[in-house]
Amino acid sequence: MIEFGAGGGLSEASGEALAVPVFAERIWGPGADWVAEELGTWLDEYLEEVDFSGKADQIVSLPTGGRLRFRTLFLVGLGEEADLDGVRQAAGWLGGKTNRVGDLATTFHGLAVDGAARAFAEGFLLGQYRFDKYRSEPKPSLTETVRFVGGAAEAAVVEARVGAELARAVALARDLVNEPAAGKSPEMMAAVARRVGDETGIRIVVHDEEDIAREGFGGLAGVAAGAHRPARMVEFWHEPENAQAFVAFVGKGIVFDSGGLSLKLPAAMETMKTDMSGAAAVFGAMQAIAALKIPVKVLGITPLTENMPGGGATRPGDVLTARNGKTIEVLNTDAEGRLVLADGLALAAESQPDVIIDLATLTGACHVALGDKIAGGWTNNEVWRDRVVGAGAAAGERIWPMPLPSDYRKNIDSTIADMKNTGNNRYGGAINAALLLAEFVGEVPWVHLDIAGPARWPEDEHYQRQGGSGFGVRTLVAFVEDLAGRR
Ligand code: BES
Ligand code: MN
Ligand code: ZN
């Protein structure tokens, strides 16, 4: 665990490395002005040489050769002006370059952005993230301390600890997504939920396969029918005494999606361990919300199973009955996410929360529509949807509003059941999926986030690392902070 501390005044401080922010056209940020003064034309000539102008995404490190009381200097570009996510991103680039620095001093908290120290900690720690457990030679971060130098450092430390809690929650989600399916059976996932519960005081309820059959979770049971490892439905309950609102999160938890009998092609299966990213986001968000003691009542629900083509598997043409009594004809067993979410959403609606938010790597169609880095947002209530989109914007997670046209409902009409789990063709596939989900929330306000794209980041970039991104954790926490009036 990296410790954040206060490091005193800039001109007295010393240490291994110093990181200072620089705006575009080399306009010095806090601390960088002092550094520039100390180093004079030697620095200017160097930056000219390496073509560093302070654009966002630029970062240089240089040995000071004794010209400062720090051995190494990092100059981190912020671009024209920094907003919260600009600070996070710059800190992320820095995190990605400082895994071998034991003690880092910085002046980032001096930026004129509300919450700069928190954003710095968030971005820095997420930039340092690695998933190394399956390497024979893991390279863990050597960073032990980050010290804020210059004014207002004590307040920055308090803020940074909140950012660190967020980063820890995102790292939990990333670890779960990056874990190969063999290492994350529904039972193992439920054990992780129990550990989160023990550590934070969240109450955990686990429904095993017998409960799932007895309690009418027919969608989940139907998807699990082809798998050897049994399904679990997990509930997380955060119930603070001074709760100001009640929200429910539902996360798709397909620990591996082979497609079932409607088997995927090999290439499409390669990343399907990612198909529990919605559940991972709920795990992470619940951990952070409890650790930060946010005074909102939150119910987290994660239906967990794998989608496999075993001998007992649900066949195309079979009909499942979901928790709320509605029936679904399964024409394509690869459209399994909506089947498990039907039960998860119906269960959430039974508690009558103020709003339900679900997160799911639901459709390839949404991935095609919005690309790798933007989620789609559907809703039966645009006021709540806008609050979720706003929370996402504050967190640096992009959500684009999508339509839920009632005249498209006939696309999922079944000839024998209440609905079918596919449309008539591939057009509007993400909308058809959302229209099916809408059948299971009753009258409760609901926002559906299709995170098929951004659940996996395609490349190392600012505070993202290639692989599981933990997308959704920070949006959910920001949303709840917003409800609690903390943001
Ligand atoms: N988990 C997939 C969706 C997905 C695809 C997520 C690519 C991330 C990247 C989902 O279960 C699925 O297979 N959906 C099908 C639905 C279709 C059969 C109606 C799809 O999108 O092709
Ligand atoms: Mn599928
Ligand atoms: Zn899936």
Side-chain angles (χ1 to χ4, degrees), residues 194-328:
R194 286 219 158 89
R195 192 190 76 216
V196 170
D198 289 342
E199 283 169 12
T200 59
I202 290 176
R203 185 163 62 88
I204 305 291
V205 180
V206 178
H207 306 252
D208 68 14
E209 67 271 36
E210 286 170 21
D211 301 329
I212 288 166
R214 189 157 26 86
E215 294 163 358
F217 296 115
L220 179 56
V223 175
H228 282 292
R229 302 188 294 182
R232 294 290 181 264
M233 177 76 88
V234 177
E235 297 174 41
F236 299 72
W237 288 90
H238 169 65
E239 298 168 292
E241 270 169 21
N242 49 347
Q244 293 163 32
F246 175 25
V247 303
F249 303 148
V250 181
K252 172 178 172 181
I254 301 297
V255 300
F256 185 71
D257 182 8
S258 73
L261 286 174
S262 311
L263 200 64
K264 286 183 185 294
L265 292 171
M269 241 185 260
E270 282 178 12
T271 56
M272 279 303 132
K273 67 174 184 180
T274 308
D275 214 20
M276 36 57 74
S277 295
V282 173
F283 275 56
M286 295 306 303
Q287 180 186 83
I289 289 164
L292 296 172
K293 300 191 167 36
I294 302 177
V296 169
K297 180 171 161 184
V298 187
L299 163 60
I301 294 178
T302 60
L304 303 167
T305 182
E306 46 192 340
N307 186 22
M308 298 288 273
T314 294
R315 313 153 194 78
D318 286 351
V319 175
L320 306 176
T321 304
R323 170 81 175 183
N324 68 351
K326 292 195 184 184
T327 58
I328 311 171

Side-chain angles (χ1 to χ4, degrees), residues 252 254 257 259 262 264 268 271-272 274-275 307 332-338 361-367 421-423 429 450-453:
K252 172 178 172 181
I254 301 297
D257 182 8
S262 311
K264 286 183 185 294
T271 56
M272 279 303 132
T274 308
D275 214 20
N307 186 22
N332 189 321
T333 64
D334 197 11
E336 84 298 337
R338 63 201 78 181
T361 47
L362 201 60
T363 65
C366 190
H367 196 173
N421 78 333
T422 59
D450 192 331
I451 60 171

Side-chain angles (χ1 to χ4, degrees), residues 38 87 112 117 123 157 180 236 257 282 287 300 331 372 401 405 413-414 443:
E38 294 290 305
V87 175
V157 171
F236 299 72
D257 182 8
V282 173
Q287 180 186 83
L331 291 183
D372 282 327
D413 282 350
S414 159
E443 300 295 306

Side-chain angles (χ1 to χ4, degrees), residues 156-175:
V157 171
V158 175
E159 264 190 44
R161 291 192 180 134
V162 176
E165 198 60 66
L166 252 341
R168 202 168 70 87
V170 175
L172 167 65
R174 288 184 182 178
D175 282 346

Side-chain angles (χ1 to χ4, degrees), residues 104-118:
L104 178 76
T106 186
T107 55
F108 260 76
H109 65 296
L111 287 164
V113 179
D114 231 19
R118 168 175 162 172

